[in-house]
Amino acid sequence: MAESALNLAMEKLNRVIDSKLLSGAAGELDGWDLITVDDLRSLYEELGLLRRFLKGWEEKLVHQREDFRTLERRIIDIASEAENVIESMHWGLVGLKTWHLKMFRLHLFMEKLEATKTEMAKTYVKKIPDRSIHWGDSDSSKRDSSRENTATWEGETMVGFENETMILKEWLTGGLKQLEIISIIGMAGLGKTTLARKLYDDPLVVFRFYVRLWVSVSQEYRKRDLLVRLVSSVIKNNPNVIDGMNESELAQLLYKSLKGRVYLVVMDDIWDIRVWDDLRSIFPNDNNGSRIMFTSRHESVALLSKSNRSSLSLRFLSDDESWDLLQQRVFGRETCVPELVELGKQITKKCHGLPLAIVVVAGILANDQKTRDRWKQVAETLNSSTASDPQLWEKTLGLSYNNLPHQLKRCFLYFGVFAEDSQITVQKLVWLWVAEGFVRKTGDQSLEDVASGYLLDLISRSLILVCKRQYDGGVKACGIHDLLRDFCIKQAEKERSLQQISTGWQEFIFPFSFNPEHLCIKDSENAWTATSVFASSDKPVAFFCFNSQCAGSQDPGFHYPCYDLLRVFDIRSCNIFRNISDIVKLVHLSYLELYAPYASPEINVPASISNLQNLETLIIHVGSCVILPQCIRKMVKLRHIGLTAKGGHKLKEQDPDARYPFSLDDLQTLSWVDPYYWEDFIAGTPNLKKLGFWGHIVSRKCLMFPDLYFLNQLQELKLHHTGSVEFGVRLKGIRFPTNLKKLTFERTYLSWDEISTLGKLLPTLEVLKLLQNACKGPVWETSEDFPQLKFLKYKFLDIEQWNASSSHFPRLQKLVLDDCYQLEKIPSGIGEILTLQMIEVHFCIPSLVNSAREIKEEQESMGNSLLQVVIHSWQFSHPTRDSEGLGSE
């Protein structure tokens, strides 16, 4: 019945088009938004899509007859109204005086049809879990010829990403009418193309768009070839004519073919934003809901396209999703036999949620004996590198690597040095890259800033993962997927820049001519003997030793000639201070990271450390106090001195006869030093950016430490008092550097009134941390504004009441309350701060937890759904929402 009504309406519309009625009236419609023959053809296509929609869903709703009758009645109503509109345009019924009315009526019908179609599709797609459907005479199942070279691991199997699919489908079919660009971003092997294809073929998407085009861009982009493929997909006739066109003619033809139509164009695997820059003017924006969708490994593609939608970054599969995918690829429609289930789950767990790895492993299992012994062998020996066919994943990852700029290739391979699944602090990574000489100064930027830019570039290319973020969205810690890490190791070994020794070095056999640049030892029972393998080498420039049992009595023997050129020496895992006399002979060192035992109350660093005139970074992990010699002033290339464990580290008294450079202009970091010993030294560090004091900094109820006002570059200051308790401490006479952005107090016992004055003293302050006993007193009446503060943290404070309004913290983004056992509640005005994004509550009393929830509920009732509240308590050991990647500042 409905199909017959549609057929009748389409026949009448076709006669109207053929008679070209519009051409005779065009002259009478000066200034009117004309409905042309092309518009009527679009309406014809709409009705045709509606007819195919009806055919497809008739089979799907065979057991839901009432639902089908409802659908059929709606389509009959649409067909009837379409017929009436078309009849009114018949030559005998159309007079020039009523033409404007007829045109307006057709406009209204087309808008109504569009709204009805979208509503129907959404309603009926939700009713049927299986959204795979054949569309009769539709061409939706056709594939672009560019798809033929798609890698086999990105087949049509799609597991997981249900929520992502629904989000993208809503972006495609709902929202604004203007042309929108949607991006799917993710590393190689996550399934970007598979997800995009699933959306492209989805019934709702097919029903929504008159024209759908798919084109694979790939790394080797040629504008004309891309235009030819796009135009050929729209215009099926006269391929010889298309071949003879130049770029400009092809662009014009494509524009005219899309003009006035609702279209979807998918550009798969974009590597360069130039693609969009070249083509953006070709796609008309008729405010009719057209969409363009990108897939890319590079976040910059989404950012530079200036999309008015946020891009969607694909996640890794969960354990259950991974197992489902493996089963589908190995067994098809059959189920896994029970005795292989546990082993199969072990195998998928080692693929770490990467569809690429799972599919490749499934290819091995599907073509092998499905026995317990065989699967056990695979489970025991599997890792990201051995489980994958190099022809598949290495080639894919190799594309990403080969496309990297030269300066990023070595930075990327460097991730092979770090332990599997480790979180790498950005600060350490950046310092290492600078020490290795990977970074080149650019303009006025510091080397560290340039290196940070390198990291952001690797992240945007979906090669590196963000583990923790700073308060301002910056990256605090990063990591790398195991599959990519294995690639880094293998590629670095190919380039003879890295060799790893682990789990007993004797198992590895190396040619003596190998000469790696970087030697990394992990979990070796005899690391020092292992290094002797490389005794004849003259090339290594970096030595790393992690978690090795190398604290025995054997002499490390750093007298081998191979170590003379070392630039990086990171041996945190064992006591190396007894061999310091050998280390200070490594005069090319630019990065030195050592571990000192907890046994000694003080660690004296010998004056011979000054032999390391090329040293830029010195990090010493200790459980006690480090005493450095005054002669470190000779080490003019020092950029960072990191002394951990907060030991109140000292500087030896100065020799009155010694002569040192006036200043260390490159020094940027100095951590946890006793200000009493370091005052003169600090006076010679004009470009210091980060400083931490640990010592007696309170005297006679006043905060006291060396004058830092001259440090115009200082951005971060940490203050920890180790002396006696004095309540009601004042800031009397303290002059903070004017550009200070981050400030931490601990055990300083300041009065709350003094904290209020910081808003005036430090107008650029963005981060304020008040840690254990930083302040004393039951009440903070916030009386001054903190105009730029973005991050505020309380931890182990005895405050009971906090009174503040939104005006006191107009730019606050994140509030963290940790172990404040007496604080009753959060001021309700805090929830009114327009910039507030998150409140974290850790192990506080129930009334404070409830106040955080009340703030969130109130904001939601006012339409603010962006505020996030994370709660940890002893009764509820997990956060109320997934806070991964949102690590506190």
Side-chain angles (χ1 to χ4, degrees):
M1 181 74 175
E3 184 177 354
S4 299
L6 283 172
N7 289 338
L8 181 60
M10 292 175 68
E11 288 175 6
K12 290 184 177 182
L13 180 57
N14 198 39
R15 288 199 297 269
V16 172
I17 294 172
D18 290 341
S19 64
K20 299 182 180 179
L21 291 177
L22 296 179
S23 60
E28 300 293 325
L29 297 173
D30 186 32
W32 186 265
D33 185 16
L34 292 178
I35 297 180
T36 66
V37 172
D38 285 341
D39 293 322
L40 293 175
R41 285 174 177 162
S42 294
L43 177 57
Y44 186 88
E45 292 176 6
E46 283 269 24
L47 296 174
L49 282 173
L50 201 59
R51 183 173 60 186
R52 291 194 290 272
F53 181 85
L54 181 67
K55 286 183 178 180
W57 285 108
E58 183 175 5
E59 296 177 4
K60 290 293 176 181
L61 295 173
V62 66
H63 299 299
Q64 302 178 51
R65 301 305 304 173
E66 186 58 35
D67 289 333
F68 179 75
R69 282 194 291 269
T70 301
L71 171 62
E72 190 176 40
R73 283 194 295 268
R74 295 194 66 175
I75 293 179
I76 290 173
D77 291 340
I78 291 173
S80 177
E81 186 171 353
E83 185 178 354
N84 291 336
V85 172
I86 295 165
E87 281 285 355
S88 72
M89 300 185 69
H90 192 275
W91 184 258
L93 298 177
V94 177
L96 295 179
K97 293 182 179 180
T98 59
W99 189 259
H100 288 74
L101 179 61
K102 307 303 179 184
M103 296 292 245
F104 181 66
R105 186 179 179 188
L106 184 56
H107 263 301
L108 289 178
F109 173 74
M110 292 177 71
E111 290 178 2
K112 181 178 180 180
L113 174 61
E114 181 69 22
T116 303
K117 187 180 69 171
T118 301
E119 180 185 351
M120 286 171 50
K122 288 183 177 179
T123 300
Y124 286 94
V125 166
K126 288 179 182 177
K127 287 182 176 291
I128 307 299
D130 177 12
R131 295 182 175 91
S132 59
I133 183 170
H134 298 287
W135 283 85
D137 58 340
S138 169
D139 63 351
S140 64
S141 62
K142 295 179 181 178
R143 297 291 184 266
D144 189 282
S145 59
S146 62
R147 290 279 296 162
E148 294 176 0
N149 295 325
T150 301
T152 56
W153 51 266
E154 274 197 326
E156 295 191 1
T157 300
M158 189 75 192
V159 172
F161 303 126
E162 287 83 6
N163 291 336
E164 290 82 353
T165 300
M166 293 305 296
I167 290 171
L168 288 165
K169 196 183 298 185
E170 176 60 29
W171 288 359
L172 285 169
T173 61
L176 302 175
K177 289 293 184 181
Q178 67 190 61
L179 177 65
E180 294 194 65
I181 297 92
I182 298 166
S183 302
I184 304 175
I185 306 298
M187 63 177 283
L190 269 181
K192 302 180 296 296
T193 300
T194 306
L195 177 56
R197 175 55 69 177
K198 178 181 180 181
L199 290 161
Y200 185 80
D201 290 336
D202 187 275
L204 175 58
V205 174
V206 173
F207 186 56
R208 177 70 178 82
F209 297 99
Y210 308 143
V211 179
R212 293 177 306 123
L213 305 177
W214 179 292
V215 62
S216 294
V217 181
S218 76
Q219 190 174 359
E220 297 181 4
Y221 160 65
R222 294 181 180 87
K223 181 179 179 180
R224 190 183 183 282
D225 291 346
L226 198 61
L227 285 171
V228 167
R229 281 182 281 155
L230 285 169
V231 172
S232 299
S233 299
V234 180
I235 302 173
K236 306 297 182 182
N237 300 325
N238 300 323
N240 295 332
V241 175
I242 295 175
D243 291 341
M245 291 182 174
N246 58 33
E247 286 185 4
S248 178
E249 292 169 334
L250 288 167
Q252 290 180 21
L253 183 56
L254 181 60
Y255 182 89
K256 291 179 180 179
S257 300
L258 297 177
K259 182 66 176 173
R261 297 185 174 187
V262 181
Y263 61 85
L264 168 65
V265 177
V266 178
M267 297 186 189
D268 184 39
D269 198 21
I270 293 183
W271 288 71
D272 196 331
I273 192 59
R274 287 186 302 112
V275 177
W276 177 240
D277 291 338
D278 284 349
L279 301 178
R280 68 169 69 229
S281 61
I282 297 172
F283 300 107
N285 183 6
D286 294 316
N287 291 316
N288 58 6
S290 293
R291 298 289 185 265
I292 295 172
M293 185 161 64
F294 295 157
T295 71
S296 180
R297 303 180 189 185
H298 307 320
E299 188 179 9
S300 59
V301 170
L303 296 176
L304 294 178
S305 68
K306 297 182 180 178
S307 170
N308 49 6
R309 279 237 191 248
S310 298
S311 63
L312 188 142
S313 297
L314 284 191
R315 59 177 174 83
F316 295 105
L317 296 179
S318 67
D319 289 346
D320 289 340
E321 291 170 338
S322 298
W323 170 234
D324 289 343
L325 178 58
L326 186 78
Q327 284 192 97
Q328 287 189 24
R329 301 295 295 201
V330 175
F331 298 100
R333 297 183 178 181
E334 300 176 0
T335 57
C336 178
V337 293
E339 59 263 32
L340 296 180
V341 170
E342 187 60 34
L343 289 170
K345 290 183 177 180
Q346 292 178 27
I347 292 171
T348 56
K349 195 171 186 65
K350 293 187 178 183
C351 293
H352 302 286
L354 189 68
L356 167 63
I358 296 168
V359 170
V360 173
V361 172
I364 297 173
L365 299 176
N367 293 284
D368 207 338
Q369 296 178 346
K370 295 180 178 63
T371 63
R372 181 175 176 81
D373 288 342
R374 176 55 180 152
W375 280 41
K376 185 176 181 180
Q377 182 183 6
V378 172
E380 289 175 348
T381 61
L382 179 65
N383 60 48
S384 298
S385 58
T386 59
S388 306
D389 180 359
Q391 296 294 321
L392 294 174
W393 75 264
E394 282 194 17
K395 183 177 180 180
T396 303
L397 300 182
L399 279 175
S400 288
Y401 175 72
N402 293 330
N403 193 59
L404 290 175
H406 176 72
Q407 69 272 18
L408 292 186
K409 287 185 176 180
R410 301 197 75 183
C411 293
F412 174 57
L413 295 186
Y414 212 77
F415 281 87
V417 164
F418 298 100
E420 187 174 2
D421 298 324
S422 62
Q423 286 192 9
I424 307 158
T425 61
V426 171
Q427 177 176 271
K428 176 183 174 71
L429 181 67
V430 163
W431 290 357
L432 282 167
W433 283 352
V434 171
E436 291 277 15
F438 295 168
V439 185
R440 294 292 177 264
K441 192 170 178 60
T442 303
D444 295 332
Q445 285 187 300
S446 68
L447 292 174
E448 288 77 8
D449 287 342
V450 175
S452 297
Y454 288 177
L455 177 60
L456 291 178
D457 198 344
L458 290 173
I459 291 171
S460 73
R461 294 169 184 268
S462 303
L463 294 174
I464 302 303
L465 307 173
V466 175
C467 299
K468 291 183 180 178
R469 288 196 178 273
Q470 303 274 18
Y471 72 98
D472 57 358
V475 183
K476 187 174 185 179
C478 62
I480 186 170
H481 194 274
D482 292 347
L483 180 65
L484 283 169
R485 177 179 169 273
D486 289 343
F487 174 84
C488 289
I489 294 171
K490 296 185 75 171
Q491 186 65 30
E493 289 176 349
K494 287 179 183 178
E495 298 182 11
R496 298 191 174 187
S497 64
L498 171 67
Q499 182 60 55
Q500 295 205 35
I501 299 175
S502 60
T503 320
W505 70 274
Q506 294 90 343
E507 299 175 9
F508 294 82
I509 301 175
F510 314 111
F512 285 102
S513 59
F514 182 75
N515 293 342
E517 291 183 352
H518 298 77
L519 177 61
C520 184
I521 299 177
K522 300 175 183 178
D523 302 313
S524 178
E525 296 179 358
N526 197 336
W528 305 131
T529 305
T531 64
S532 65
V533 172
F534 298 90
S536 63
S537 173
D538 59 0
K539 193 176 181 181
V541 295
F543 182 97
F544 300 87
C545 185
F546 304 133
N547 303 321
S548 295
Q549 302 174 28
C550 49
S553 59
Q554 188 170 355
D555 183 359
F558 288 103
H559 52 273
Y560 296 125
C562 67
Y563 297 117
D564 289 347
L565 299 179
L566 278 180
R567 289 199 301 263
V568 172
F569 191 71
D570 184 348
I571 192 162
R572 292 170 293 138
S573 57
C574 52
N575 177 16
I576 195 64
F577 261 84
R578 63 191 176 192
N579 304 99
I580 194 71
S581 59
D582 283 337
I583 294 174
V584 297
K585 296 176 184 178
L586 306 176
V587 295
H588 293 283
L589 282 179
S590 56
Y591 182 100
L592 178 60
E593 185 166 1
L594 304 174
Y595 171 86
Y598 283 80
S600 303
E602 293 182 340
I603 302 295
N604 278 279
V605 178
S608 56
I609 190 78
S610 63
N611 292 339
L612 305 179
Q613 287 294 301
N614 292 302
L615 196 65
E616 297 176 354
T617 299
L618 173 63
I619 301 175
I620 303 177
H621 298 270
V622 292
S624 54
C625 174
V626 172
I627 302 176
L628 288 170
Q630 283 281 346
C631 59
I632 64 171
R633 297 183 181 211
K634 296 180 181 179
M635 303 165 69
V636 295
K637 292 186 178 181
L638 275 174
R639 304 177 72 87
H640 310 284
I641 300 177
L643 307 174
T644 65
K646 306 178 182 180
H649 309 296
K650 302 175 183 178
L651 196 65
K652 289 181 180 178
E653 293 185 6
Q654 186 169 343
D655 183 347
D657 298 326
R659 296 291 181 267
Y660 303 115
F662 179 74
S663 65
L664 297 177
D665 292 340
D666 290 339
L667 191 66
Q668 301 175 27
T669 306
L670 182 62
S671 64
W672 298 126
V673 297
D674 190 324
Y676 176 81
Y677 294 91
W678 290 79
E679 183 172 3
D680 290 341
F681 181 91
I682 291 172
T685 58
N687 296 311
L688 205 61
K689 293 183 177 180
K690 296 182 179 181
L691 176 62
F693 282 151
W694 178 290
H696 293 262
I697 58 175
V698 173
S699 178
R700 298 180 181 179
K701 292 192 175 182
C702 289
L703 197 64
M704 299 183 66
F705 52 83
D707 185 19
L708 306 177
Y709 190 73
F710 70 97
L711 294 177
N712 296 324
Q713 304 299 316
L714 193 67
Q715 297 182 3
E716 183 174 350
L717 177 63
K718 298 181 179 181
L719 303 171
H720 182 104
H721 174 57
T722 58
S724 58
V725 176
E726 297 187 38
F727 298 113
V729 174
R730 301 286 176 181
L731 296 173
K732 184 179 180 181
I734 291 294
R735 297 196 307 168
F736 292 101
T738 55
N739 293 321
L740 198 64
K741 292 185 176 180
K742 300 181 182 181
L743 181 59
T744 301
F745 293 103
E746 189 169 5
R747 299 190 78 249
T748 49
Y749 306 100
L750 289 162
S751 69
W752 284 108
D753 290 343
E754 295 298 294
I755 295 297
S756 291
T757 65
L758 291 175
K760 281 187 176 180
L761 292 174
L762 298 170
T764 62
L765 190 67
E766 295 182 359
V767 175
L768 178 59
K769 298 182 183 180
L770 305 175
L771 308 184
Q772 183 177 12
N773 293 320
C775 307
K776 296 297 290 186
V779 181
W780 182 21
E781 293 280 354
T782 309
S783 57
E784 298 288 345
D785 295 347
F786 291 75
Q788 299 297 328
L789 196 69
K790 298 178 181 178
F791 181 94
L792 177 60
K793 180 175 184 177
Y794 297 174
K795 184 170 184 177
F796 289 120
L797 301 181
D798 61 2
I799 184 173
E800 299 174 9
Q801 185 176 344
W802 176 26
N803 299 323
S805 67
S806 59
S807 62
H808 291 129
F809 307 97
R811 287 182 170 82
L812 190 67
Q813 297 177 5
K814 187 171 183 178
L815 172 65
V816 179
L817 304 173
D818 193 346
D819 292 282
C820 295
Y821 303 120
Q822 301 181 57
L823 184 59
E824 296 176 359
K825 65 177 182 178
I826 302 170
S828 59
I830 295 298
E832 299 172 3
I833 299 173
L834 297 178
T835 57
L836 189 64
Q837 299 173 6
M838 178 175 287
I839 298 175
E840 285 189 16
V841 179
H842 303 269
F843 311 115
C844 295
I845 62 177
S847 63
L848 189 145
V849 171
N850 291 335
S851 70
R853 289 175 173 153
E854 288 171 2
I855 287 175
K856 180 173 176 60
E857 291 171 1
E858 182 180 357
Q859 290 301 304
E860 287 180 341
S861 69
M862 298 171 63
N864 176 16
S865 60
L866 299 179
L867 177 62
Q868 301 173 3
V869 174
V870 177
I871 296 173
H872 292 80
S873 65
W874 298 114
Q875 293 79 20
F876 190 72
S877 59
H878 299 288
T880 58
R881 62 170 299 280
D882 182 7
S883 58
E884 182 181 358
L886 298 172
S888 298
E889 159 58 26

